Amino acid sequence: MVVDPGCRDHDPGAEIWIGVTTAPADVAERVTVIEAALGELGHPTTPAREYDDTWLTAVHSAELLDYLATVWDRWVAGGYPDLGAGRVVPYLFPSAQLCQGLPPRTPTALHAEVGVYCYDTMTLIGPGSWRAIRAATHTTRTAVDLVVAGAPGAYALTRPPGHHATRSAYGGSCYLNNAAIAAQALREHDFAKVAVIDIDAHHGNGTQAIFYERADVFTTSVHVDPAAGWFPHHVGFADETGRDGGLGANLNLPLTPGSGDAPWLAAIERAADAAAGFGAAALVIALGVDAAIDDPESPLQVSIEGYHRAGEVLGALGLPTVAVQEGGYHLPTLGHLVGATLDGLG
Ligand code: SP5
Ligand code: ZN
């Protein structure tokens, strides 16, 4: 397991959902309980190395990276905490209907700029957020380097998670897309084709978007059906199969709320078969454990045995594998769910 203590430094403070300020799901204790559970299972710890930010531009726009790196300081300089806004939070979104197809502007007011990059009201930024966002990318890159050096697999204990972050936008408790960063880094290390299999309870919309037109990275996601009223609501449908050169290189497998082990595992087997059929030379697992029975953020009903079996199914592909942590919010079971999955992977 690759860890970076900086991943604890992000404190979103709250999630604002339908205007109600609620406790954040992504708390630093998530890292603590996963690290403890994996430690008990005998997983050795590798500290993340530092990397410069230049390579991040392969999957994210320079504008998003610059915004994330600077927005907290600009927020403080703008006096927003003194107005009671203790976190960076959007209030206005440049929707297509608002902007009429006119050229995009950068609003003069910082409080209007936030919604250019942030697509929901649940993904706040505080003083330590950028440190943690970068630490998660370092953790990811270190895991890739372990695999490139010959390890059969490596697990990156990333926080905040990443799979909802697109090239230029963040949301869904995600800021930079660690799974996409891993896939891109594996590509740059001569794995000709890479598959991303996303088993987080929510659709991996950011990863899908980043690779949607690319034929060299296959993306597939097993998740609760957005048509049943679940995040990310607008994407994650089965008819999204890629575009242009990437046509056929995206597979969405939405599940009915309440689905337990059998349909979830059948979907993961389909995803694994598709990744093998694609000819993937390396695998990235977007390892969310929020499909579990006790998780507060999803209606899927997967058992810990189901997670172990998912690990076995994915491990049977026999590919060099980087697993990055995505969601999973039930603190008492979180670490054991990750442990069971990694044990199944072998
Ligand atoms: C990485 C990941 O799992 N992100 C989850 C994003 C989905 N969040 C949706 C939240 C919907 C409202 N939740 C209500 C509970 C308030 N704490
Ligand atoms: Zn999730």
Side-chain angles (χ1 to χ4, degrees), residues 2 21 61 82 97 112 130 137 200 219 238-239 263 283 293 333 341:
V2 183
T21 302
S61 68
D82 300 331
Q97 290 75 14
W130 176 239
T137 70
D200 185 280
T219 47
D239 63 1
L283 173 65
I293 290 168
T333 56
T341 314

Side-chain angles (χ1 to χ4, degrees), residues 98-114:
L98 172 61
C99 295
Q100 309 174 230
L102 292 166
R105 328 267 174 182
T106 299
T108 306
L110 176 57
H111 52 279
E113 186 185 336
V114 178

Side-chain angles (χ1 to χ4, degrees), residues 215-231:
D216 58 331
V217 178
F218 179 75
T219 47
T220 178
S221 178
V222 176
H223 51 267
V224 62
D225 192 349
W230 290 85
F231 189 90

